[in-house]
Amino acid sequence: MNHSLKPWNTFGIQRNAHQIVRANNAQQLLDAWQNATENGEPVLILGEGSNVLFLEDFAGTVIVNRIMGIDVEERADSWHLHVGAGENWHQLVQYTLEKGMAGLENLALIPGCAGSSPIQNIGAYGIELKNVCEYVDCIELVTGMAQRLTAEECRFGYRDSIFKHEYQDRYAIVGVGLRLAKAWKPILTYGDLTRFDPATVTPRDVFDSVCHMRMAKLPDPKVNGNAGSFFKNPVISSETAAALLAGWPTAPHYPQPDGSVKLAAGWLIDQCQLKGTSVGGAAVHQQQALVLINQRDATSDDVIKLAHHVRQRVGEKFNVWLEPEVRFIGRTGEVNAVEAIA
């Protein structure tokens, strides 16, 4: 039980696993999973550990997915990419821009691997993975059968997909298919991007601006361990939103196609004057209230207590109850994050 998970989670939380295996292809991943299962051990498949919080030591095998490779097929109106699940996401964004393929620039500097992107349906600055995803390749862990899911079959929602439900623990993602249209349309709806002229802006302008915005407000995990945005932006009913906006007319809010309204979790936390608040070694980041950081040798208990405090304060002030975006991993696998901090 002495294999440290500290290098394998960007929070930098010190926990151990019974065994850690690096898988460079689908067969190695399958073999590691089946070996552990035959031994009655729990298994966790990790990318870069950028969206997990280890609550305790993991009592089984952690498989680090490092299936690499980027293949590009050019067609008349689009590029079609097949990306190995172990590829670093931001490096993929850089690669596409360098090759003259636009469409991922709003998703720059999102931490993690390509294989994790469909699980969360990652998104930022007006774009979600589902806007560019063509398919997801996975293997059924028990049988080793390969399966390709279309984007529709992935059932993408806000930070949600089939991989958080029926396919969780049963399938491993080995590759992601992306379609980038040649007719590029800039998405300039958020933050500094609204200042650009759609007629003259370039994909590189958008990329540089997104990188600047993220670096200005997000801590470097190498300096202060963190898992990026700790909480989801809450989506509430139009009635609840109307009541909230009556008292807080300047609150950032984004009407959704189904009539619900998305709020900015960072703004809600900020209004509670929680920036810099700490519990043990964990703290709310000074520049971005949405990020909880490992300020100095934080334990997972410190992070949970801090998250509970933030959730309570926001709930009491706004009657909006935040939910973690980060996955909480217990001794034998993922646990309900909301219950853990409630």
Side-chain angles (χ1 to χ4, degrees):
M1 201 63 180
N2 58 354
H3 296 277
S4 175
L5 288 165
K6 194 169 184 177
W8 302 107
N9 72 100
T10 59
F11 241 121
I13 298 289
Q14 178 49 53
R15 292 293 186 188
N16 293 319
H18 185 243
Q19 184 173 227
I20 299 172
V21 176
R22 179 187 167 115
N24 297 318
N25 57 52
Q27 191 58 52
Q28 288 178 0
L29 191 154
L30 207 54
D31 290 346
W33 189 90
Q34 292 180 347
N35 287 341
T37 306
E38 283 164 16
N39 293 332
E41 287 188 358
V43 189
L44 175 70
I45 299 172
L46 270 191
E48 295 189 349
S50 61
N51 198 48
V52 294
L53 176 67
F54 287 105
L55 305 189
E56 47 197 327
D57 288 346
F58 190 72
T61 297
V62 172
I63 303 172
V64 180
N65 185 335
R66 284 296 175 268
I67 300 171
M68 310 303 275
I70 303 173
D71 297 314
V72 182
E73 181 194 333
E74 184 173 355
R75 298 185 196 166
D77 61 348
S78 54
W79 292 281
H80 297 257
L81 287 75
H82 179 89
V83 184
E87 290 284 349
N88 175 274
W89 178 262
H90 179 64
Q91 287 171 14
L92 170 67
V93 176
Q94 289 177 304
Y95 171 88
T96 55
L97 279 182
E98 284 160 10
K99 299 287 184 187
M101 300 179 284
L104 299 182
E105 54 285 331
N106 293 56
L107 302 175
L109 276 182
I110 292 180
C113 289
S116 307
S117 64
I119 301 173
Q120 289 281 107
N121 181 26
I122 61 170
Y125 300 107
I127 289 187
E128 290 180 320
L129 181 81
K130 69 176 183 183
N131 303 129
V132 293
C133 183
E134 197 165 31
Y135 62 81
V136 176
D137 281 351
C138 51
I139 47 173
E140 188 174 20
L141 292 162
V142 172
T143 63
M145 290 283 290
Q147 187 174 355
R148 174 166 289 187
L149 296 184
T150 64
E152 290 73 27
E153 289 170 328
C154 291
R155 297 217 310 268
F156 290 125
Y158 174 59
R159 299 295 174 271
D160 200 29
S161 71
I162 196 170
F163 303 105
K164 283 191 162 186
H165 303 285
E166 299 97 299
Y167 275 45
Q168 187 178 6
D169 301 328
R170 287 178 50 215
Y171 289 81
I173 294 170
V174 294
V176 179
L178 305 176
R179 178 188 182 276
L180 302 180
K182 289 185 175 179
W184 180 65
K185 294 188 183 72
I187 308 291
L188 307 171
T189 47
Y190 283 80
D192 295 348
L193 300 180
T194 57
R195 300 175 193 164
F196 285 120
D197 179 351
T200 57
V201 70
T202 67
R204 178 62 65 173
D205 292 336
V206 175
F207 173 86
D208 289 342
S209 182
V210 167
C211 288
H212 177 76
M213 285 189 284
R214 290 188 77 96
M215 288 192 294
K217 66 182 183 179
L218 296 174
D220 182 346
K222 294 180 186 70
V223 179
N224 289 123
N226 70 89
S229 301
F230 193 89
F231 295 101
K232 297 177 187 175
N233 287 322
V235 179
I236 60 177
S237 69
S238 54
E239 295 79 16
T240 308
L244 188 145
L245 290 166
W248 306 86
T250 60
H253 60 287
Y254 307 95
Q256 302 298 296
D258 63 0
S260 61
V261 178
K262 187 191 290 184
L263 302 176
W267 185 89
L268 298 171
I269 298 166
D270 211 5
Q271 297 309 303
C272 299
Q273 275 88 49
L274 289 170
K275 278 181 181 170
T277 301
S278 63
V279 173
V284 180
H285 188 48
Q286 287 281 11
Q287 272 76 45
Q288 171 51 282
L290 195 50
V291 178
L292 305 188
I293 62 170
N294 179 351
Q295 194 164 294
R296 51 176 192 285
D297 299 324
T299 65
S300 46
D301 290 344
D302 294 341
V303 178
I304 285 176
K305 286 174 184 164
L306 180 61
H308 169 80
H309 177 67
V310 170
R311 186 175 192 262
Q312 288 299 122
R313 288 283 298 275
V314 169
E316 287 158 11
K317 190 176 186 93
F318 295 104
N319 195 30
V320 173
W321 297 88
L322 299 178
E323 298 185 3
E325 185 174 307
V326 174
R327 298 170 62 202
F328 284 24
I329 310 296
R331 183 173 161 75
T332 60
E334 189 161 356
V335 301
N336 186 306
V338 176
E339 289 175 8
I341 68 165

